[in-house]
Amino acid sequence: MGRSPCCEKAHTNKGAWTKEEDQRLINYIRAHGEGCWRSLPKAAGLLRCGKSCRLRWINYLRPDLKRGNFTEEEDEIIIKLHSLLGNKWSLIAGRLPGRTDNEIKNYWNTHIKRKLLSRGLDPQTHRPITTTTKNINGDINNNSYSDHHNKQISDVNSIEEANSSSGTTEEFVHQQQKVQEEEFHPELNLIRTKKQNYPELNLDLSISLPIQCYDQNEIMKQEEEKQKVSYQVFDTAAKPPVITQTICLCYQLGFQSREGCNCKAMMSNNRSTTMNLNNGFHLYFRPLDS
DNA sequence: AACTGACCCAACCGCATCTAT
DNA sequence: TATAGATGCGGTTGGGTCAGT
């Protein structure tokens, strides 16, 4: 027995959206907010599948979308992130405000793939299509590529070498993510899955982008800045909440110094956000700049 | 003017994952 | 703990547009 369809296909419109449908969707979401996509079409008076409404809103109608061509800078960000994450379009889109995963995916397939090929790089692996050799210092010898090409190649190689791994970049990324998840507090896995529900939070630690620079000290500095996220755990059975345990992620992440950590001040900050855990606890988040 | 093929992108589909009960 | 429903994600498709012939 298969799954039930997400909507009554016999009574739903398909294909391009009309202006009237768009306006109905916009009006409804303005009034009631996003969510409950399954029931939205009926409530908004639309003969559309809930998934279709969600896609239309996210990819086209959302007010914070950036329209227009991708900039050279955006191109490079996409290339860099794709080399690290692969076809994780939603993660890549998360780093490009105003761009959607669908947009980036389309752009990748129509423009960037070609761009990489013209640079002599395989779009999937980001490795040079022709073989390259290294001299004794580890520099890449391939006169057919420009300096920029060599930088791209070198970026990928440095990632792999940093881990002393012979696997592919994707494998390396995956390994790094797994290792970090295991080392971190288990609740961090939940943070990762909740990340998109709390876009105001910097949760870079949870998606664990791997090292992408050469200077290890610089890397640590950057990561430390990004990952100054801390949380506290409350007993939700007690009202008002009573702090039962405080865990400082600055420490959990393995940083030697806890400088800059002021977790104790969190309770007094009314800009903080809580998140329910299914084990009866709350995670308590504080914006980075507070 | 008609045809053709390449290109682009919105939208769909199926599967994976999350969540509530 | 198991299950079904809801949501999210990535691959793919279909149709509009445009340039070349």
Side-chain angles (χ1 to χ4, degrees):
Chain A
M1 192 177 77
R3 295 184 47 175
S4 61
C6 68
C7 54
E8 278 286 342
K9 302 217 172 194
H11 304 294
T12 55
N13 291 339
K14 288 173 82 171
W17 280 64
T18 64
K19 284 190 175 179
E20 190 193 345
E21 285 178 313
D22 281 348
Q23 202 51 54
R24 276 179 186 271
L25 183 56
I26 291 168
N27 291 342
Y28 184 85
I29 292 178
R30 274 186 189 154
H32 302 94
E34 291 182 47
C36 288
W37 295 109
R38 192 183 169 88
S39 58
L40 184 149
K42 196 175 178 183
L46 287 163
L47 293 174
R48 289 276 178 177
C49 168
K51 285 172 81 166
S52 180
C53 294
R54 177 181 161 271
L55 259 293
R56 182 65 180 172
W57 174 256
I58 287 173
N59 290 331
Y60 200 81
L61 299 176
R62 240 170 54 197
D64 59 329
L65 289 181
K66 187 194 285 184
R67 291 281 163 200
N69 295 335
F70 282 77
T71 65
E72 194 63 32
E73 190 185 5
E74 284 176 314
D75 279 13
E76 293 308 319
I77 292 171
I78 292 169
I79 291 168
K80 176 75 77 179
L81 288 174
H82 187 273
S83 75
L84 297 168
L85 300 166
N87 295 358
K88 300 292 179 192
W89 306 117
S90 61
L91 282 179
I92 294 171
R95 294 301 185 115
L96 290 165
R99 302 294 189 185
T100 70
D101 54 355
N102 205 36
E103 190 179 14
I104 292 169
K105 180 173 60 184
N106 284 334
Y107 187 64
W108 174 270
N109 287 325
T110 56
H111 291 87
I112 299 186
K113 261 187 181 176
R114 231 175 297 153
K115 192 174 185 175
L116 288 180
L117 286 170
S118 74
R119 290 178 182 179
L121 294 172
D122 182 328
Q124 271 320 110
T125 63
H126 295 256
R127 291 168 184 241
I129 291 168
T130 59
T131 56
T132 57
T133 59
K134 290 182 183 178
N135 64 21
I136 196 165
N137 297 319
D139 299 324
I140 294 169
N141 294 326
N142 189 331
N143 295 332
S144 65
Y145 299 123
S146 68
D147 289 343
H148 185 76
H149 300 160
N150 285 339
K151 173 72 166 55
Q152 288 285 335
I153 297 161
S154 182
D155 281 352
V156 174
N157 287 334
S158 68
I159 290 164
E160 291 170 355
E161 284 163 10
N163 197 39
S164 303
S165 164
S166 58
T168 65
T169 304
E170 262 184 30
E171 286 166 352
F172 168 74
V173 171
H174 188 65
Q175 281 172 8
Q176 286 296 302
Q177 288 173 339
K178 275 192 85 173
V179 167
Q180 287 176 349
E181 279 174 11
E182 285 165 8
E183 286 175 353
F184 294 157
H185 198 272
E187 273 76 3
L188 289 180
N189 285 329
L190 187 59
I191 297 174
R192 180 181 60 180
T193 63
K194 286 288 186 184
K195 176 176 173 283
Q196 56 199 19
N197 295 332
Y198 298 86
E200 72 277 18
L201 297 171
N202 183 340
L203 296 178
D204 285 349
L205 75 168
S206 59
I207 62 170
S208 304
L209 284 176
I211 293 162
Q212 49 186 306
C213 311
Y214 304 107
D215 183 336
Q216 292 293 323
N217 291 330
E218 189 58 31
I219 293 162
M220 287 306 294
K221 270 188 202 166
Q222 289 176 7
E223 292 301 304
E224 196 163 357
E225 281 305 310
K226 283 196 291 183
Q227 296 176 351
K228 278 180 188 167
V229 175
S230 51
Y231 65 91
Q232 292 177 316
V233 183
F234 294 97
D235 180 354
T236 55
K239 292 182 180 180
V242 173
I243 301 173
T244 57
Q245 189 182 0
T246 301
I247 301 168
C248 173
L249 274 189
C250 307
Y251 179 74
Q252 290 286 312
L253 289 169
F255 297 131
Q256 295 304 306
S257 167
R258 294 178 68 171
E259 275 184 7
C261 167
N262 58 347
C263 298
K264 287 177 183 173
M266 286 168 54
M267 276 298 285
S268 61
N269 189 320
N270 60 8
R271 291 179 57 210
S272 302
T273 306
T274 59
M275 183 172 77
N276 294 326
L277 297 179
N278 56 10
N279 60 3
F281 288 90
H282 275 165
L283 284 182
Y284 185 88
F285 294 96
R286 171 177 57 91
L288 285 178
D289 58 348
S290 66

